[in-house]
Amino acid sequence: GSPVRHSRTPAQHRGFFGRHGIAVVAVRMDEKEWGRGGLDVLRDLGLTCAAVTSPLKALAARTLRRRGAVNTLAWDKDRGAWAGAAPDAKGLAALLSGIDPRRTAVWGGGGTLPALRRVLPRARFYSARTGKPRQGPAVFQPEVVVWAVPRRRGEGFRRRPPSAWKPGKVVDLNYSEDSPGREYALRCRAGYVSGLRMFREQAREQARFWRAYDRA
């Protein structure tokens, strides 16, 4: 993905792949590189499994002719093609358990938007690009803000949630120390919840998916 330096995947899965004699590394790739056959190049170099991060999740789904987003790939030798999974929803469900969706606003979304809609179907969703609601009235006072804009996009997006919002909690889908969601929580003096729990849960699901395929 891009950015990818913050990714915890190499550290999280090093033991898992090490038992199979497979190296795990972070590979930077943007949308243009993916569109120019970047995944095929990596396959030629020996790629057998991949954790896909922003902004490539939707492109991964299109490659597999699926809707939504895919963040986990495995090479299926029997079919000679990629297989994919989207364990984001389970990770999000773990992170967002106990939150009242009726009092929740989701800021951004990107490749996680389909999963967020499944987990929080009654939440209010806002575009971080325009600052406008994706549906429903503009006036809303959330108790919880789910921050779904990564650092790379956050730097380029000048819009912030309405200043009238005074959430008591910010749930950040990111887990980096320099996440703009962390900055927003500090600015609002709100409680802060990191996305680490989501990452760990979906990482367990990824490992289960990869085990189903012969990686040799």
PDB file of all heavy atoms in Angstrom, residues 95-108:
ATOM      1  N   LEU A  95     -13.510  -3.773  17.585  1.00  0.00           N
ATOM      2  CA  LEU A  95     -13.120  -2.430  18.027  1.00  0.00           C
ATOM      3  C   LEU A  95     -14.323  -1.587  18.443  1.00  0.00           C
ATOM      4  O   LEU A  95     -14.247  -0.809  19.401  1.00  0.00           O
ATOM      5  CB  LEU A  95     -12.366  -1.725  16.895  1.00  0.00           C
ATOM      6  CG  LEU A  95     -11.900  -0.290  17.152  1.00  0.00           C
ATOM      7  CD1 LEU A  95     -10.841  -0.266  18.250  1.00  0.00           C
ATOM      8  CD2 LEU A  95     -11.356   0.337  15.872  1.00  0.00           C
ATOM      9  N   LEU A  96     -15.432  -1.748  17.737  1.00  0.00           N
ATOM     10  CA  LEU A  96     -16.578  -0.862  17.921  1.00  0.00           C
ATOM     11  C   LEU A  96     -17.676  -1.464  18.793  1.00  0.00           C
ATOM     12  O   LEU A  96     -18.770  -0.894  18.887  1.00  0.00           O
ATOM     13  CB  LEU A  96     -17.162  -0.485  16.557  1.00  0.00           C
ATOM     14  CG  LEU A  96     -16.188   0.228  15.610  1.00  0.00           C
ATOM     15  CD1 LEU A  96     -16.815   0.404  14.231  1.00  0.00           C
ATOM     16  CD2 LEU A  96     -15.764   1.581  16.175  1.00  0.00           C
ATOM     17  N   SER A  97     -17.401  -2.591  19.406  1.00  0.00           N
ATOM     18  CA  SER A  97     -18.420  -3.211  20.254  1.00  0.00           C
ATOM     19  C   SER A  97     -18.791  -2.277  21.413  1.00  0.00           C
ATOM     20  O   SER A  97     -17.935  -1.625  22.005  1.00  0.00           O
ATOM     21  CB  SER A  97     -17.899  -4.545  20.814  1.00  0.00           C
ATOM     22  OG  SER A  97     -16.765  -4.337  21.630  1.00  0.00           O
ATOM     23  N   GLY A  98     -20.069  -2.197  21.710  1.00  0.00           N
ATOM     24  CA  GLY A  98     -20.532  -1.361  22.809  1.00  0.00           C
ATOM     25  C   GLY A  98     -20.820   0.073  22.433  1.00  0.00           C
ATOM     26  O   GLY A  98     -21.283   0.852  23.271  1.00  0.00           O
ATOM     27  N   ILE A  99     -20.567   0.452  21.187  1.00  0.00           N
ATOM     28  CA  ILE A  99     -20.816   1.824  20.737  1.00  0.00           C
ATOM     29  C   ILE A  99     -22.228   1.936  20.175  1.00  0.00           C
ATOM     30  O   ILE A  99     -22.667   1.076  19.398  1.00  0.00           O
ATOM     31  CB  ILE A  99     -19.778   2.242  19.680  1.00  0.00           C
ATOM     32  CG1 ILE A  99     -18.407   2.416  20.327  1.00  0.00           C
ATOM     33  CG2 ILE A  99     -20.202   3.534  18.971  1.00  0.00           C
ATOM     34  CD1 ILE A  99     -17.306   2.744  19.358  1.00  0.00           C
ATOM     35  N   ASP A 100     -22.941   2.986  20.554  1.00  0.00           N
ATOM     36  CA  ASP A 100     -24.297   3.215  20.049  1.00  0.00           C
ATOM     37  C   ASP A 100     -24.187   3.875  18.669  1.00  0.00           C
ATOM     38  O   ASP A 100     -23.785   5.037  18.562  1.00  0.00           O
ATOM     39  CB  ASP A 100     -25.065   4.141  20.995  1.00  0.00           C
ATOM     40  CG  ASP A 100     -26.506   4.346  20.563  1.00  0.00           C
ATOM     41  OD1 ASP A 100     -26.890   3.886  19.472  1.00  0.00           O
ATOM     42  OD2 ASP A 100     -27.255   5.003  21.314  1.00  0.00           O
ATOM     43  N   PRO A 101     -24.519   3.154  17.592  1.00  0.00           N
ATOM     44  CA  PRO A 101     -24.363   3.732  16.249  1.00  0.00           C
ATOM     45  C   PRO A 101     -25.247   4.942  16.012  1.00  0.00           C
ATOM     46  O   PRO A 101     -24.927   5.798  15.184  1.00  0.00           O
ATOM     47  CB  PRO A 101     -24.741   2.573  15.312  1.00  0.00           C
ATOM     48  CG  PRO A 101     -25.580   1.668  16.153  1.00  0.00           C
ATOM     49  CD  PRO A 101     -25.042   1.790  17.546  1.00  0.00           C
ATOM     50  N   ARG A 102     -26.343   5.066  16.753  1.00  0.00           N
ATOM     51  CA  ARG A 102     -27.257   6.196  16.561  1.00  0.00           C
ATOM     52  C   ARG A 102     -26.627   7.508  17.015  1.00  0.00           C
ATOM     53  O   ARG A 102     -27.085   8.578  16.613  1.00  0.00           O
ATOM     54  CB  ARG A 102     -28.562   5.946  17.306  1.00  0.00           C
ATOM     55  CG  ARG A 102     -29.362   4.749  16.789  1.00  0.00           C
ATOM     56  CD  ARG A 102     -30.490   4.398  17.715  1.00  0.00           C
ATOM     57  NE  ARG A 102     -29.979   4.005  19.043  1.00  0.00           N
ATOM     58  CZ  ARG A 102     -30.756   3.650  20.061  1.00  0.00           C
ATOM     59  NH1 ARG A 102     -32.070   3.651  19.923  1.00  0.00           N
ATOM     60  NH2 ARG A 102     -30.220   3.318  21.220  1.00  0.00           N
ATOM     61  N   ARG A 103     -25.600   7.424  17.864  1.00  0.00           N
ATOM     62  CA  ARG A 103     -24.919   8.627  18.346  1.00  0.00           C
ATOM     63  C   ARG A 103     -23.482   8.685  17.837  1.00  0.00           C
ATOM     64  O   ARG A 103     -22.623   9.322  18.437  1.00  0.00           O
ATOM     65  CB  ARG A 103     -24.915   8.651  19.884  1.00  0.00           C
ATOM     66  CG  ARG A 103     -26.300   8.572  20.509  1.00  0.00           C
ATOM     67  CD  ARG A 103     -27.209   9.678  20.011  1.00  0.00           C
ATOM     68  NE  ARG A 103     -26.607  10.999  20.188  1.00  0.00           N
ATOM     69  CZ  ARG A 103     -27.028  12.107  19.578  1.00  0.00           C
ATOM     70  NH1 ARG A 103     -28.012  12.033  18.704  1.00  0.00           N
ATOM     71  NH2 ARG A 103     -26.437  13.257  19.817  1.00  0.00           N
ATOM     72  N   THR A 104     -23.239   8.032  16.700  1.00  0.00           N
ATOM     73  CA  THR A 104     -21.884   7.919  16.167  1.00  0.00           C
ATOM     74  C   THR A 104     -21.782   8.536  14.788  1.00  0.00           C
ATOM     75  O   THR A 104     -22.651   8.337  13.939  1.00  0.00           O
ATOM     76  CB  THR A 104     -21.466   6.435  16.095  1.00  0.00           C
ATOM     77  OG1 THR A 104     -21.509   5.873  17.409  1.00  0.00           O
ATOM     78  CG2 THR A 104     -20.074   6.274  15.519  1.00  0.00           C
ATOM     79  N   ALA A 105     -20.708   9.281  14.569  1.00  0.00           N
ATOM     80  CA  ALA A 105     -20.398   9.833  13.250  1.00  0.00           C
ATOM     81  C   ALA A 105     -19.097   9.204  12.757  1.00  0.00           C
ATOM     82  O   ALA A 105     -18.135   9.084  13.508  1.00  0.00           O
ATOM     83  CB  ALA A 105     -20.252  11.351  13.315  1.00  0.00           C
ATOM     84  N   VAL A 106     -19.078   8.809  11.493  1.00  0.00           N
ATOM     85  CA  VAL A 106     -17.880   8.249  10.874  1.00  0.00           C
ATOM     86  C   VAL A 106     -17.293   9.303   9.951  1.00  0.00           C
ATOM     87  O   VAL A 106     -17.954   9.753   9.010  1.00  0.00           O
ATOM     88  CB  VAL A 106     -18.206   6.966  10.090  1.00  0.00           C
ATOM     89  CG1 VAL A 106     -16.949   6.437   9.390  1.00  0.00           C
ATOM     90  CG2 VAL A 106     -18.796   5.906  11.018  1.00  0.00           C
ATOM     91  N   TRP A 107     -16.062   9.701  10.215  1.00  0.00           N
ATOM     92  CA  TRP A 107     -15.391  10.736   9.425  1.00  0.00           C
ATOM     93  C   TRP A 107     -14.413  10.062   8.459  1.00  0.00           C
ATOM     94  O   TRP A 107     -13.402   9.524   8.870  1.00  0.00           O
ATOM     95  CB  TRP A 107     -14.660  11.710  10.344  1.00  0.00           C
ATOM     96  CG  TRP A 107     -14.130  12.924   9.633  1.00  0.00           C
ATOM     97  CD1 TRP A 107     -12.842  13.180   9.266  1.00  0.00           C
ATOM     98  CD2 TRP A 107     -14.898  14.054   9.196  1.00  0.00           C
ATOM     99  NE1 TRP A 107     -12.751  14.395   8.626  1.00  0.00           N
ATOM    100  CE2 TRP A 107     -14.000  14.954   8.568  1.00  0.00           C
ATOM    101  CE3 TRP A 107     -16.246  14.387   9.262  1.00  0.00           C
ATOM    102  CZ2 TRP A 107     -14.421  16.171   8.027  1.00  0.00           C
ATOM    103  CZ3 TRP A 107     -16.661  15.594   8.723  1.00  0.00           C
ATOM    104  CH2 TRP A 107     -15.758  16.469   8.114  1.00  0.00           C
ATOM    105  N   GLY A 108     -14.768  10.083   7.171  1.00  0.00           N
ATOM    106  CA  GLY A 108     -13.946   9.414   6.169  1.00  0.00           C
ATOM    107  C   GLY A 108     -14.474   8.019   5.900  1.00  0.00           C
ATOM    108  O   GLY A 108     -15.670   7.781   5.896  1.00  0.00           O
TER     109      GLY A 108
END
